[in-house]
Structures are given as structure tokens and as C-alpha cells.
Amino acid sequence: QEVATRVFNFAKGLSRLLLCESSDASPQHPFIGICAKNRLDWFVADYACVFSGAVSVPLHTAMDDVSTLSILNCANVCCVISSQEYTNKFLSFAANQSCPSLKHVIQMDSLQDAPTTSLSPGDLLVDMPWVEKIGCEIPSSVITNSPLKGTDIHTVIFTSGSTGMPKGVPFVGDQLAAELSIVTEYDPLVTISKDSLAHVSDREAVLSTLVCGGRVGISSGPAHVFDDIRELSPSIVSSIPRFYNILYTEFKSLYESGKRELIQDVPDFT
């Protein structure tokens, strides 16, 4: 319930913020960038985009400025929601007009000098708690854009740019709904969010778990992922191939270094 309240409040506040920049030339469903490592605020922003009628564009946190700008301009992103460590990068893009469409940056972490009045077109930088506060004061029926439908684009996933400029793949709501139609029967159902949310796999795993009534734990970072797995005891661990390659490499290294006692309890199926 707490997360749902945050999502709806942020959706209403985000809708009001986008209304400040609306014009006849504005798209019906604006594109919103999200840039942060795995944290609850990332999911709040993502789900709020759906209810505010915006299309989410996940941004790789490790991507260079050239590739990031390529994505922002390709998608005509008008607002970026980011954690504090990436805020200055997007502010500089807006200041030097590298991305003309970028009008707002919402920092997930609280600002020391938060606005003291209602949102206005001049608010280039605001924080997430303030947008949620504004949304809390808006009736639930007041949302600028209608929520996204099944045939609408819900998100655009871009490649990391490792083989050239990033390329975007749009996902419509019906595609995502088909992925969520598979019922997972585990009791308890627990999953861990640990991979980059710029990929669709981790987002689908989290949303599928929530739809099935499960619980989600968010990893504290790559250096602690195995400690987090031991702590959370997830019933499902889904990941990108790179994770399993790292796991295999670590296992092989331990095995070849003579620490065979770590796998003594593995049954012999030969």
C-alpha cells in the first residue's frame, strides 16, 4: 500500500509537471528518462509513468555522454528522473542545449533547496519527494494524460552502445502483459532485483513477482549480490548471461585452486 501510494502521488505530480510544458506540439505520451542503480525509487518512477501516460526510457548508468545524448535526442526525452550522482550530467545537457527537448530533471534524492511553491515551467530541477508532495494534494481524478493502454508504447529499451550508437526497441503494453500472464507457483515467492534496470529482464521479473503476490528484495550492489542472495533466499533468480558467466568463472577458479571441499555435498549423477 505504501508503494502504491507513492506511485499514484508521483504520477499525479509528474502529470502536473508535464502540464507546465504542454503545448499543441507536445506529444500525447511524453518520453521520460530514468537513470539510477537498482532502488525502490526507480520502480516508483517506472510505474508512475504508466499512470501518468508517459513512456519510460531507461538509461544505462555506465553509458558515456555521447551515447546518453543520442538516446535523449532520439526519444525526444522531456524529463529525466535520476539519482543524485547523475543529476549534474543531465543539468549540463539542459543548460548547453545538447538536448533541446529536456526541460526537467527530477532528482530521486532530496534537495537541500527544494521549491517552496507549486510547480512551474521554470523548475528545471526538483526532487522526487517534492513532486510526490504536490501529487498528494491533487485529486486522484486529475491526471493530465490518460494512462497508457495495451496498444500504446510503454517503454523503449536501448542497447548499451557497445557495438555502435544505441538502438531502441519499443515495447507495447500488450507485449508486457503477455510476459506477465505466466503464473509462478512458489510459496513463498521471492525474487531479487540485481541487474541493470536498463534491461527489460529484471523489470519483468520484478513486475511478474508482484503480480503473483510475491516479495521483491533489491540488491545493495554487484559487490554484495551473493550476500544479498543468501540473505533474501529468493525462490527465483533470473539474470542476464553475464551474471552466469561470472558465476561459472568464480566456481571454476575455486575448484581449480584446490578448494574442492566447497562442492563436496554436490551429488554425483554420473
Side-chain angles (χ1 to χ4, degrees), residues 1-267:
Q1 184 61 43
E2 181 181 350
V3 175
T5 299
R6 286 195 60 193
V7 168
F8 284 116
N9 285 341
F10 188 68
K12 291 183 290 181
L14 180 62
S15 183
R16 174 65 61 84
L17 184 65
L18 299 179
L19 177 62
C20 294
E21 295 292 339
S22 64
S23 66
D24 294 338
S26 299
Q28 181 181 5
H29 299 300
F31 287 71
I32 307 294
I34 308 177
C35 185
K37 296 175 182 175
N38 300 44
R39 55 189 288 178
L40 178 59
D41 298 322
W42 205 106
F43 296 102
V44 170
D46 189 25
Y47 302 152
C49 284
V50 176
F51 290 104
S52 63
V55 180
S56 62
V57 182
L59 301 169
H60 294 266
T61 56
M63 186 173 283
D64 61 60
D65 289 358
V66 174
S67 298
T68 302
L69 271 174
S70 173
I71 293 176
L72 296 178
N73 287 312
C74 178
N76 286 322
V77 169
C78 65
C79 175
V80 172
I81 305 165
S82 75
S83 57
Q84 184 175 5
E85 57 191 310
Y86 307 111
T87 297
N88 286 337
K89 175 167 70 173
F90 297 109
L91 288 177
S92 66
F93 291 161
N96 61 25
Q97 290 293 301
S98 300
C99 178
S101 61
L102 182 58
K103 304 300 182 183
H104 298 286
V105 177
I106 302 176
Q107 182 173 287
M108 295 177 178
D109 310 276
S110 297
L111 294 168
Q112 290 184 345
D113 300 318
T116 56
T117 58
S118 59
L119 294 171
S120 66
D123 292 327
L124 171 60
L125 175 63
V126 294
D127 61 28
M128 198 168 188
W130 176 252
V131 177
E132 290 181 42
K133 179 182 177 182
I134 293 295
C136 185
E137 300 169 355
I138 301 174
S140 299
S141 58
V142 181
I143 291 186
T144 307
N145 297 317
S146 58
L148 297 174
K149 301 176 182 178
T151 54
D152 293 327
I153 296 176
H154 277 227
T155 188
V156 180
I157 305 296
F158 280 84
T159 59
S160 63
S162 59
T163 58
M165 295 308 292
K167 306 167 189 65
V169 179
F171 285 81
V172 300
D174 287 340
Q175 287 176 285
L176 299 176
E179 295 286 342
L180 300 176
S181 63
I182 303 175
V183 178
T184 305
E185 297 182 354
Y186 287 94
D187 187 18
L189 174 58
V190 182
T191 193
I192 180 172
S193 172
K194 56 180 174 48
D195 296 327
S196 170
L197 294 170
H199 301 291
V200 73
S201 57
D202 199 294
R203 294 166 68 194
E204 284 186 347
V206 169
L207 192 53
S208 177
T209 299
L210 295 177
V211 168
C212 294
R215 300 192 299 270
V216 178
I218 300 176
S219 175
S220 51
H224 308 286
V225 65
F226 292 111
D227 293 331
D228 293 335
I229 289 175
R230 280 191 291 267
E231 179 72 21
L232 294 169
S233 297
S235 46
I236 297 178
V237 176
S238 61
S239 190
I240 57 177
R242 182 172 177 271
F243 173 79
Y244 295 110
N245 288 337
I246 293 174
L247 187 63
Y248 173 74
T249 301
E250 289 293 323
F251 174 85
K252 187 176 180 181
S253 176
L254 287 173
Y255 183 82
E256 292 178 350
S257 66
K259 297 182 180 179
R260 300 173 183 268
E261 67 273 9
L262 295 177
I263 57 172
Q264 284 181 351
D265 296 331
V266 177

